[in-house]
Amino acid sequence: MNVIFALVFNPKRSKLMKNIPLIRSNGILIIFISAITLITSSYQGFTQEYKIKTIVLDAGHGGKDGTTMGAYSREKDVALKTALNLGAAIEANLKDVKVIYTRTEDVFIPLYERIAVANNANADLFISIHCNDLSPRKTTVITGYRKVKGKRVPIRKTVYTKNTSTRGTETFVSGMGRVNEQDEAIKRENEAIFLEENYKENYEGFDPNNPENFIILSLMKNTFRTQSLKLAKLVQDEYINAGRVDRGVQEKSLAVLARAGMPAILTEIGFMSNRSEEDYMNSPEGQKEITECLLKAITNYKNSIEGHT
C-alpha cells in the first residue's frame, strides 16, 4: 500500500497519475479527495493482515538548521540522541521491525528528503522527534530620565527575557488546522524549508508564510489521519503515565509530514526553554523514560494494528 501512496504524493514521478483529477493552487498539485478515499478504503481492508515491519525515525533539524537552544544544549543534538536511543530500543525489543534513520549525525536534511526516505523504504511508521521552545518575552523597562523642555521624560528600552515557565509534551499529526491558528512551534518547524536550496522547486511553490498553503498541506496528509491520530494519542498517554505535563494531540500543517505515505507523527518531547525540562531531556534517566514512553506507544500501536490486542 505504501508504494501506491509514495506515487500518489509524488505526481511528477508517476505515470499512474494521468487519469486522477488534480487541483492546482499556487503551483502545488494535490490529489483529489476521491482518489484518496478509494485507496484509504482498500488500506483499511488489509489491516488484519498488516504488519509493522519498517519504522523511520527522524531526528529533527540538524546541521545549519539548529538554532534552537536551551541554557546549554541544542535541540538538534537532543533530538538525535533520543532518536538513536529509541532506534536501539526498538531493535532490541521488536525483533521483526527494521529501523531506518533520516540522519545519524549532525547534518542538514531537507524536509522533503526526510519523508522521501520513509516513502522509498515503504515504511509503516514515520516518527519525527523534536524539542519545543518559546520565543523570549518582550518587555519595555525604564532605564532613566532626561529633560525635554523642562520636563522629566523616561528613557525606555526593550528587553527580551527567556520564557521559562511553559513545560510539557505534545504530539502533532498533519491535518486540517485552522489557517489562523498556526502557532509558534509549527511556524518554527516549517521555517526549515527556507534553509534548503531551490525550496520553491522542492515544494512546488509552497510558502510557509501563506495561510492558503496550510490547507494544501492538510489535504495531502488526510489519508492516514485516523492511524496517525491513534499513534499520537498512544504516545501522549505514555507521557501522561510517566507524569509528564500533557499538552495534547494536535492536527497542524507540517511540511515534514505532508507527503507521508504512512501514519506519521511529530512529537515534542519537552521544552528547551524550561531549564528543568532541558536537564530532564539531557539526563540518562530522562532519556531512558522518554525512550520507554515512545517504545511502549509503538508496541501498543503495533499490537493493535496486527490484531494482538
Side-chain angles (χ1 to χ4, degrees), residues 213-269:
N213 290 163
F214 290 119
I215 297 175
I216 292 168
L217 286 181
S218 297
L219 289 173
M220 296 169 82
K221 190 62 188 73
N222 193 51
T223 307
F224 286 105
R225 175 178 176 274
T226 301
Q227 289 82 8
S228 298
L229 285 170
K230 180 174 184 176
L231 175 60
K233 185 180 184 304
L234 288 170
V235 168
Q236 285 300 125
D237 286 347
E238 293 302 328
Y239 288 149
I240 294 169
N241 291 339
R244 305 293 305 282
V245 174
D246 176 30
R247 293 172 58 87
V249 173
Q250 301 181 52
E251 294 183 71
K252 299 290 183 178
S253 297
L254 284 156
V256 72
L257 302 181
R259 298 190 178 197
M262 72 291 299
I265 64 170
L266 184 153
T267 186
E268 303 273 7
I269 63 174

Side-chain angles (χ1 to χ4, degrees), residues 87-107:
I90 292 172
E91 290 173 338
N93 292 274
L94 302 175
K95 302 294 186 180
D96 57 337
V97 175
K98 178 182 179 181
V99 175
I100 298 174
Y101 303 94
T102 58
R103 68 181 181 97
T104 56
E105 55 186 349
D106 185 18
V107 294

Side-chain angles (χ1 to χ4, degrees), residues 80-252:
L80 178 58
K81 182 193 302 183
T82 306
L84 294 175
N85 286 341
L86 176 58
I90 292 172
E91 290 173 338
N93 292 274
L94 302 175
K95 302 294 186 180
D96 57 337
V97 175
K98 178 182 179 181
V99 175
I100 298 174
Y101 303 94
T102 58
R103 68 181 181 97
T104 56
E105 55 186 349
D106 185 18
V107 294
F108 174 67
I109 308 293
L111 298 183
Y112 76 95
E113 287 188 11
R114 293 170 186 264
I115 204 61
V117 169
N119 285 336
N120 292 337
N122 298 328
D124 303 292
L125 291 178
F126 178 86
I127 300 173
S128 188
I129 298 170
H130 290 250
C131 305
N132 226 326
D133 191 42
L134 287 177
S135 297
R137 291 192 182 98
K138 179 180 177 181
T139 57
T140 301
V141 298
I142 296 175
T143 59
Y145 295 87
R146 59 192 175 94
K147 285 188 176 181
V148 178
K149 296 180 179 181
K151 293 183 178 181
R152 203 160 167 257
V153 178
I155 301 172
R156 291 182 170 85
K157 178 182 178 182
T158 300
V159 176
Y160 295 89
T161 56
K162 195 74 171 176
N163 189 335
T164 61
S165 60
T166 304
R167 60 191 302 157
T169 62
E170 54 191 345
T171 301
F172 299 108
V173 304
S174 187
M176 190 66 74
R178 296 177 183 174
V179 295
N180 62 340
E181 293 180 355
Q182 299 307 318
D183 58 27
E184 184 178 314
I186 302 308
K187 290 178 181 178
R188 186 177 67 250
E189 305 303 356
N190 283 338
E191 280 174 357
I193 288 175
F194 290 130
L195 298 176
E196 303 174 18
E197 295 181 8
N198 303 320
Y199 77 88
K200 289 185 179 179
E201 178 181 342
N202 295 337
Y203 299 95
E204 302 178 69
F206 173 72
D207 178 2
N209 292 322
N210 185 342
E212 292 180 7
N213 290 163
F214 290 119
I215 297 175
I216 292 168
L217 286 181
S218 297
L219 289 173
M220 296 169 82
K221 190 62 188 73
N222 193 51
T223 307
F224 286 105
R225 175 178 176 274
T226 301
Q227 289 82 8
S228 298
L229 285 170
K230 180 174 184 176
L231 175 60
K233 185 180 184 304
L234 288 170
V235 168
Q236 285 300 125
D237 286 347
E238 293 302 328
Y239 288 149
I240 294 169
N241 291 339
R244 305 293 305 282
V245 174
D246 176 30
R247 293 172 58 87
V249 173
Q250 301 181 52
E251 294 183 71
K252 299 290 183 178

